[in-house]
């Protein structure tokens, strides 16, 4: 059986965005509280009963959060245009070397109801 476990974290950050709609307000520096969830999929280890020790995931997310929290996202290397889609891809890339069996990364903003889910192919 495959299990999915996840951990959430949040970060507050500012950005600008060039778009076709809401151009004035998006182009000005503004901020959001972003929520993110990182999901892992796998079979629990018979010895531990865990897919992954959530402490290991929390340590990775703590380091990642420090790179995003209270930052101007336009200046964070590797994000590109600070869209929800690019934030999901950035998180995946940041966790790529961790060895964690990522299956999904989500980023959303409760304040305005936007959400993006990035599903990763797994065997």
């Amino acid at each position: 059986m495959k299990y999915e476990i996840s951990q959430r974290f949040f970060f507050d950050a500012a950005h600008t965005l060039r778009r076709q709609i809401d151009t004035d307000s998006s182009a000005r520096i503004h901020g959001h509280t972003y929520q993110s969830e990182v999901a892992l999929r796998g079979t629990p280890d018979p010895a531990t009963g865990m897919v992954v020790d959530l402490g290991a995931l929390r340590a990775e997310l703590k380091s990642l959060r420090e790179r995003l929290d209270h930052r101007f996202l336009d200046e964070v290397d590797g994000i590109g245009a600070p869209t929800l889609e690019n934030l999901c891809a950035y998180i995946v890339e940041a966790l790529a070397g961790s060895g964690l069996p990522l299956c999904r990364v989500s980023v959303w903003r409760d304040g305005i109801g936007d959400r993006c889910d990035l599903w990763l192919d797994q065997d």
Side-chain angles (χ1 to χ4, degrees), residues 4 6-7 9 35-40 61 64 84-95 102-108 115-120:
E4 182 178 300
S6 64
Q7 180 69 48
F9 69 100
Q35 304 287 332
S36 182
E37 182 175 49
V38 174
L40 313 175
L61 296 182
L64 175 59
L84 295 176
E85 296 87 344
N86 284 345
L87 285 167
C88 284
Y90 177 83
I91 292 169
V92 168
E93 182 64 29
L95 297 173
L102 295 173
C103 66
R104 178 179 48 82
V105 169
S106 303
V107 176
W108 68 94
R115 180 184 181 102
C116 180
D117 297 302
L118 174 57
W119 296 87
L120 296 127

Side-chain angles (χ1 to χ4, degrees), residues 14-17 24-31 72 74:
H15 72 118
T16 64
L17 196 59
D24 291 339
S25 60
S26 294
R28 288 191 301 268
I29 295 173
H30 61 283
F72 183 47
D74 299 52

